[in-house]
Amino acid sequence: DTAVSQTPKYLVTQMGNDKSIKCEQNLGHDTMYWYKQDSKKFLKIMFSYNNKELIINETVPNRFSPKSPDKAHLNLHINSLELGDSAVYFCASSQRGTEHYGYTFGSGTRLTVV
Amino acid sequence: EDQVTQSPEALRLQEGESSSLNCSYTVSGLRGLFWYRQDPGKGPEFLFTLYSAGEEKEKERLKATLTKKESFLHITAPKPEDSATYLCAVQETGGSYIPTFGRGTSLIVHP
């Protein structure tokens, strides 16, 4: 059973297109995150949702719009894709109050903008 | 300036050759320090959480230690399957509870 699953695993698209990445967790966690990992492996927080409510929104261009239909799902929609958006995007989840157990990450979505 | 600095960036070891990875941090108050392992094409996998200076945690060939300014991940008699990128993350008191990640150490263990 996959704990945090992301789709698609690979995404190649042209500049200017709009794309979505989906994430689902079956751990019963109440908090979900989107991270961006660049080519140098630097993992940076983008968004955090707790029980479907946005609680963290780092300085991310407003072309990126997260949506959480329920606490098990957190999707990421990206408008007008740019070359600099190429990266690996990770979804993660945790249960508030038990962060000492760390976050559970998905396997990532490698986005390539050409 | 990065709040979390990991060194070295890359490390090559022979199987059985013990070594340590370093994670230094510059936060005003530490709530928790996390170690993760990341295999190629996968997401980070949680290893340990440390909270206070002097604390140690162990798992198989890995031991994590913590001082007031840095953490070490000691790898004893490593095997090729220990090859991965090891990420450190620091959670600061008083602010967002979201940990800040370092850039990782890429470890390769040769048979």
Side-chain angles (χ1 to χ4, degrees):
Chain A
D1 274 351
T2 305
V4 179
S5 58
Q6 294 179 229
T7 53
K9 186 157 179 68
Y10 299 98
L11 189 51
V12 181
T13 188
Q14 290 190 323
M15 269 179 17
N17 283 351
D18 303 339
K19 289 292 176 188
S20 291
I21 306 172
K22 296 188 174 186
C23 178
E24 176 182 3
Q25 55 95 4
N26 63 6
L27 297 166
H29 288 167
D30 61 2
T31 308
M32 295 183 73
Y33 313 84
W34 278 111
Y35 278 86
K36 179 180 179 180
Q37 189 170 48
D38 63 23
S39 57
K40 293 193 182 273
K41 297 282 193 181
F42 187 43
L43 202 59
K44 190 166 170 146
I45 184 71
M46 299 173 70
F47 302 104
S48 172
Y49 269 75
N50 176 258
N51 279 322
K52 303 192 299 174
E53 284 192 31
L54 180 66
I55 52 173
I56 297 283
N57 180 353
E58 291 296 308
T59 49
V60 177
N62 57 15
R63 298 182 294 104
F64 290 78
S65 53
K67 282 195 171 48
S68 182
D70 56 60
K71 72 175 191 177
H73 295 84
L74 180 62
N75 304 323
L76 184 65
H77 188 75
I78 316 169
N79 289 326
S80 304
L81 278 154
E82 300 178 356
L83 293 176
D85 298 331
S86 296
V88 182
Y89 293 84
F90 286 99
C91 177
S93 72
S94 68
Q95 179 65 28
R96 187 160 250 188
T98 67
E99 287 87 4
H100 50 276
Y101 292 129
Y103 294 177
T104 304
F105 283 83
S107 293
T109 296
R110 182 174 292 276
L111 171 64
T112 304
V113 183
V114 297
Chain B
E1 183 185 331
D2 286 352
Q3 281 188 315
V4 184
T5 304
Q6 291 189 245
S7 61
E9 277 188 31
L11 181 62
R12 291 177 182 269
L13 299 173
Q14 287 297 126
E15 185 171 1
E17 180 188 0
S18 301
S19 188
S20 296
L21 314 183
N22 178 265
C23 171
S24 63
Y25 57 91
T26 56
V27 297
S28 53
L30 180 70
R31 183 173 177 176
L33 185 142
F34 305 85
W35 282 99
Y36 286 82
R37 169 192 171 127
Q38 185 174 19
D39 292 300
K42 301 269 183 75
E45 180 186 342
F46 172 73
L47 292 172
F48 306 109
T49 308
L50 301 166
Y51 294 102
S52 55
E55 191 174 356
E56 297 183 353
K57 293 269 176 78
E58 280 190 69
K59 181 179 179 177
E60 295 180 358
R61 294 175 292 282
L62 301 177
K63 182 165 86 170
T65 62
L66 182 64
T67 72
K68 288 194 174 177
K69 291 293 178 192
E70 57 192 349
S71 176
F72 292 93
L73 185 65
H74 306 278
I75 305 176
T76 303
K79 298 183 177 184
E81 53 261 43
D82 295 320
S83 298
T85 294
Y86 290 86
L87 298 168
C88 168
V90 165
Q91 194 181 40
E92 194 172 5
T93 56
S96 155
Y97 63 90
I98 304 286
T100 299
F101 280 83
R103 294 174 186 266
T105 293
S106 173
L107 173 67
I108 297 176
V109 181
H110 295 286

